[in-house]
Amino acid sequence: MSPTFRSLQVRNYRVYATGSLISNIGTWMQTTAQAWLVLALTGSGTALGLTVALQLLPTLLLSPLGGVLADRFSKRTVLRVMQVMMAVPAAVLGVLAVTGVVATWHVFVLAFVFGIGRALEAPARQSFVPEMVGRENLGNAVALNSASLNSGRLIGPAVAGVLIAAMGGGVEGTGWVILVNAASYGASFIALNMLDPARLTPSTVIASGPGAIRDGLRYVRSRPDLVLVLWCVFFVGGFGMNFQITSALMATEEFGMGAREYGVLGSVLAVGSLAGALLAARRTRPRLRFVVVSGFAFSVVQVASGLMPTYFSYMAVLPLVGLSILTMATTANAMIQLTSTPVMRGRVAALYVMVFIGSVPFVAPLVGWVAEALGARTSLVGTGVLAGLGIAIVTTWYVRQTEGETDHLRREAAALRSTYARRTHLRGRPGDRGRLRLPQRLREHRALGSRDDRDPTTVG
């Protein structure tokens, strides 16, 4: 089997990935249909931005709680419960749209309820992968998860656009598409039930008690490399994951296109996203510099997309946008899973989800408002510039932070060598009891330097 797909040799992961792919296709079908439903009901970019914000707001508020659930209970059980919790609001919204009684406030409320299930499910989904494939295949499996998500993004919007157009492009057509998504969660639920528990390697479950979220935050603060990764994820996620708003308005207002052409844009973006995930799957170890470079690349191509003069030139740039976003996101996710201590993995994964997806509610209403007031092009160019600026600032902070730490450790080493030399001069050849032991932190730093080429967190 090709190294790109080596994790599929694991039976449990193969079953899990199959169910996830079906569910991902359904999710992206609903994402497309829901955006079109809001535009059909209101014609407002601001309303569309508010819908996206309400659906993603629980990710910002509840992801840390989801991380605690993932570390405290069986991740498989959490995932099964959340499949049901996400299917119910999708089914209700679909029925309301099909029957023609749906109102804008229905979409707002059900998008928020759906977002609660998604926020609580995501940390368990991210941290469940190591229990199926082990550390040796973890980076590959994380990348294939992203490939599955973007295969859904490739297929889902195109299918949704065709179905909505075939049903007249109205509210009822969006309802049937949303009902398909509600049914797709059954595939994921069945796949989770089919896993062989004997072949899983569950992480240690943390004890009940207060302070679990605070412990996770303290752990991340102690790791400058994780802080840099999460900030890069924040800027790219917040300014790049607004495709439902920007492409919907580019298709309709800038280029005068309809539902079918909007769905095609989603699929074209997914081509690049899928390529980025598969590119990351071939890499044996993720590196911090790859996260940073991919973030800057996103900034450049996002600005370029806003400057494209025609529908087809805009469509031609979208694969590069998807490639840069998913290369950064997949590499960042793999770094977090590989370098975090297992007992903290669920909570760190929750922070990753919170800043990647939960950052969108901060930005989505602003993006929708700017696109509506000044045009979708201005919105794309502005978000690209801000993302690049933010990544530049946080990378500068990281470099100074690590340089300062290295200088401090060098001074410690020099002082210890001086003290050791004086003791040797006064006592002659020291025995084992007279030897000075280097501090644990300094010994770890020296060991890290000796294997710098293999360290996934090396930035330069």
Side-chain angles (χ1 to χ4, degrees):
M1 181 176 287
S2 167
T4 303
F5 303 101
R6 61 184 180 273
S7 295
L8 295 178
Q9 294 175 332
V10 180
R11 186 259 177 193
N12 271 351
Y13 181 74
R14 190 164 60 247
V15 172
Y16 171 83
T18 301
S20 294
L21 176 60
I22 296 172
S23 179
N24 286 334
I25 293 172
T27 297
W28 282 104
M29 289 177 67
Q30 172 164 336
T31 299
T32 304
Q34 184 173 275
W36 202 255
L37 174 61
V38 172
L39 287 177
L41 292 173
T42 67
S44 168
T46 302
L48 183 55
L50 182 57
T51 303
V52 173
L54 286 170
Q55 184 166 310
L56 298 180
L57 182 61
T59 301
L60 178 65
L61 301 177
L62 299 178
S63 285
L65 176 59
V68 173
L69 291 176
D71 285 337
R72 186 164 291 171
F73 300 102
S74 163
K75 296 176 178 63
R76 185 182 175 208
T77 299
V78 172
L79 288 171
R80 285 185 288 195
V81 171
M82 294 307 155
Q83 302 313 300
V84 177
M85 188 169 180
M86 290 185 289
V88 170
V92 172
L93 181 58
V95 170
L96 289 173
V98 168
T99 56
V101 299
V102 66
T104 306
W105 72 267
H106 291 145
V107 182
F108 290 163
V109 171
L110 291 170
F112 184 77
V113 174
F114 178 86
I116 293 174
R118 186 177 182 179
L120 297 178
E121 183 256 4
R125 174 166 41 85
Q126 298 284 350
S127 56
F128 185 52
V129 176
E131 299 187 6
M132 290 184 286
V133 300
R135 184 177 179 85
E136 65 279 3
N137 289 319
L138 179 56
N140 177 258
V142 168
L144 290 183
N145 275 358
S146 295
S148 171
L149 178 65
N150 288 283
S151 295
R153 181 183 287 181
L154 177 65
I155 300 168
V159 174
V162 170
L163 289 177
I164 295 170
M167 297 178 189
V171 170
E172 182 179 350
T174 64
W176 286 112
V177 172
I178 293 170
L179 285 174
V180 171
N181 176 51
S184 74
Y185 288 107
S188 183
F189 187 87
I190 292 170
L192 288 165
N193 284 331
M194 290 175 61
L195 299 183
D196 182 0
R199 298 184 181 183
L200 297 175
T201 54
S203 303
T204 303
V205 176
I206 64 172
S208 300
I213 295 176
R214 185 171 59 250
D215 290 343
L217 292 172
R218 188 181 298 118
Y219 173 74
V220 170
R221 282 201 304 269
S222 71
R223 295 275 306 274
D225 56 323
L226 291 183
V227 173
L228 174 58
V229 167
L230 291 175
W231 272 111
C232 289
V233 167
F234 172 83
F235 287 116
V236 174
F239 295 117
M241 300 296 287
N242 294 291
F243 170 79
Q244 303 100 307
I245 303 170
T246 53
S247 282
L249 293 174
M250 286 288 282
T252 56
E253 295 186 1
E254 294 291 336
F255 305 125
M257 300 296 179
R260 191 189 305 271
E261 290 80 9
Y262 167 53
V264 170
L265 290 178
S267 295
V268 169
L269 179 74
V271 169
S273 301
L274 180 59
L278 293 177
L279 176 65
R282 294 190 65 85
R283 297 176 65 87
T284 56
R285 293 189 69 85
R287 289 184 179 275
L288 187 53
R289 68 169 69 93
F290 212 59
V291 176
V292 174
V293 171
S294 300
F296 281 123
F298 159 75
S299 173
V300 172
V301 295
Q302 178 86 332
V303 171
S305 71
L307 300 176
M308 292 299 104
T310 67
Y311 172 80
F312 291 103
S313 61
Y314 175 71
M315 184 170 62
V317 175
L318 285 183
L320 298 178
V321 176
L323 175 69
S324 58
I325 291 175
L326 260 294
T327 299
M328 187 284 305
T330 303
T331 306
N333 192 0
M335 273 197 63
I336 285 171
Q337 299 287 352
L338 281 167
T339 64
S340 298
T341 184
V343 75
M344 289 288 181
R345 190 173 285 144
R347 280 163 284 180
V348 178
L351 289 174
Y352 167 83
V353 173
M354 184 176 73
V355 299
F356 190 41
I357 306 298
S359 58
V360 177
F362 279 117
V363 184
L366 178 61
V367 169
W369 178 81
V370 171
E372 190 172 2
L374 303 177
R377 295 183 185 280
T378 302
S379 179
L380 285 169
V381 172
T383 53
V385 170
L386 289 173
L389 206 61
I391 293 172
I393 291 171
V394 73
T395 302
T396 302
W397 168 85
Y398 173 80
V399 171
R400 291 178 177 175
Q401 186 85 1
T402 52
E403 283 180 349
E405 182 176 342
T406 300
D407 291 343
H408 174 71
L409 291 172
R410 284 173 179 166
R411 287 193 295 271
E412 281 189 37
L416 284 167
R417 282 195 296 268
S418 176
T419 303
Y420 183 79
R422 287 197 301 272
R423 287 192 181 184
T424 302
H425 177 73
L426 292 173
R427 300 180 183 179
R429 285 179 64 107
D432 288 341
R433 290 187 303 169
R435 294 187 186 276
L436 290 179
R437 289 183 57 80
L438 297 177
Q440 176 70 18
R441 187 157 171 258
L442 182 57
R443 283 185 278 124
E444 290 176 354
H445 182 76
R446 283 187 169 182
L448 181 64
S450 69
R451 58 176 187 274
D452 207 30
D453 291 337
R454 300 190 301 272
D455 182 18
T457 63
T458 303
V459 72

